[in-house]
């Protein structure tokens, strides 16, 4: 069970109810209340699915599960609710894609300037994606990975992959080799740049104007920004 936004939770429950599990992934089925809806007093419930969250040591399986899940979503239209969301992750996502102005923060401006200076347009098509896969895929011996806690965004699938890579580099001791393994080609570094901005701005929005990031975060982001600069330079035309 989890506390949820009613409109988004009803939408996500409908998506998960209609997505068939496959050899590539499982999903938890949403539980309906007596009245037929999925949300009661701000709470939603899903069936229990066995497994433990990675992602250390499971990067290939994690990315593969996400891609299989996204193949199952590619026929779905863009939901209007995305335009009405104003939580920190929705705001950060729009900033990452140049659709909103950045949030002023005392210690992220210099990092954001570096990232924006190497951000370039991409041609990859958008579709419905899960924008927070890293800690939300469960692994179990003998069963396909389970994709849980669906966070909907309308972006290229490569962006979802890049968020996994960013989280791995920032918080899970992943090696820089993960960038080329998961994000090859010219668009890969561009997805990585946007994913770093997304995570950086989510923290900045949470701290508010003039706020500062938690201790050690600027150093983590500076290291990953340097890796994005190197990747972008390597694939520059």
């Amino acid at each position: 069970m989890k506390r949820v936004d009613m409109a988004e939770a009803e939408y996500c429950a409908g998506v998960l109810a209609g997505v068939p599990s496959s050899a590539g992934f499982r999903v938890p089925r949403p539980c309906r209340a007596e009245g037929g809806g999925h949300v009661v007093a701000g709470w939603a419930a899903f069936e229990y699915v066995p497994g433990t969250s990675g992602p250390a040591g499971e990067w290939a399986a994690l990315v593969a599960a996400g891609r299989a899940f996204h193949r199952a979503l590619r026929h779905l239209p863009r939901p209007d609710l995305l335009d009405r969301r104003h939580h920190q992750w929705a705001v950060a996502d729009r900033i990452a894609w140049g659709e909103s102005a950045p949030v002023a923060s005392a210690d992220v401006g210099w990092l954001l300037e570096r990232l924006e200076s190497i951000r370039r347009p991409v041609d990859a098509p958008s579709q419905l994606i899960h924008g927070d896969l890293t800690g939300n895929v469960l692994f179990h011996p003998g069963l396909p990975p389970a994709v849980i806690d669906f966070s909907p965004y309308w972006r290229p699938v490569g962006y979802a992959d890049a968020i996994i890579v960013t989280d791995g580099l920032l918080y899970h001791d992943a090696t820089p080799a993960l960038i080329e393994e998961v994000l090859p080609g010219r668009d890969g570094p561009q997805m990585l740049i946007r994913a770093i901005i997304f995570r950086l701005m989510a923290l900045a929005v949470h701290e508010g104007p003039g706020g500062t990031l938690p201790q050690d975060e600027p150093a983590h982001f500076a290291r990953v920004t340097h890796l994005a600069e190197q990747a972008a330079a390597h694939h520059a035309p």
Side-chain angles (χ1 to χ4, degrees):
M1 297 184 66
K2 60 177 293 189
R3 290 200 64 86
V4 293
D5 171 84
M6 181 170 181
E8 185 167 329
E10 289 287 358
Y11 170 78
C12 291
V15 170
L16 293 180
V19 172
S21 294
S22 71
F25 68 93
R26 295 172 287 147
V27 294
R29 301 304 175 184
C31 301
R32 288 190 180 274
E34 290 183 355
H38 296 99
V39 181
V40 177
W43 289 86
F46 295 82
E47 68 173 342
Y48 171 78
V49 289
T52 56
S53 60
E58 299 284 1
W59 298 112
L62 172 57
V63 171
R67 290 175 179 173
F69 180 70
H70 291 138
R71 284 194 294 272
L73 301 185
R74 59 188 174 189
H75 67 288
L76 296 176
R78 185 182 187 277
D80 293 339
L81 69 87
L82 298 181
D83 298 321
R84 300 190 295 271
R85 299 191 306 182
H86 299 288
H87 55 63
Q88 71 190 82
W89 298 280
V91 173
D93 170 70
R94 295 184 190 114
I95 295 170
W97 287 85
E99 297 169 358
S100 294
V103 174
S105 181
D107 59 354
V108 305
W110 63 283
L111 286 167
L112 183 61
E113 287 179 5
R114 285 171 58 182
L115 290 161
E116 289 183 327
S117 71
I118 55 174
R119 185 175 60 187
R120 301 288 183 267
V122 294
D123 296 325
S126 293
Q127 66 155 77
L128 189 65
I129 66 166
H130 189 322
D132 192 23
L133 283 165
T134 310
N136 290 311
V137 175
L138 307 181
F139 300 95
H140 188 280
L143 293 173
V147 178
I148 65 171
D149 203 10
F150 178 41
S151 298
Y153 294 85
W154 189 260
R155 299 298 182 195
V157 170
Y159 179 58
D161 292 346
I163 293 171
I164 293 173
V165 173
T166 297
D167 290 343
L169 295 171
L170 284 171
Y171 304 120
H172 298 283
D173 298 320
T175 67
L178 190 65
I179 298 173
E180 194 62 33
E181 292 170 1
V182 178
L183 303 170
R186 186 175 298 175
D187 276 355
Q190 290 301 319
M191 297 300 175
L192 179 63
I193 291 162
R194 287 160 171 79
I196 298 168
I197 295 174
F198 170 58
R199 287 304 193 205
L200 180 65
M201 286 293 100
L203 288 175
V205 172
H206 177 74
E207 296 301 325
T212 58
L213 297 190
Q215 187 178 11
D216 296 333
E217 290 285 12
H220 292 319
F221 275 95
R223 179 177 58 85
V224 178
T225 296
H226 178 64
L227 295 174
E229 291 169 334
Q230 289 181 316
H234 178 72
H235 289 281

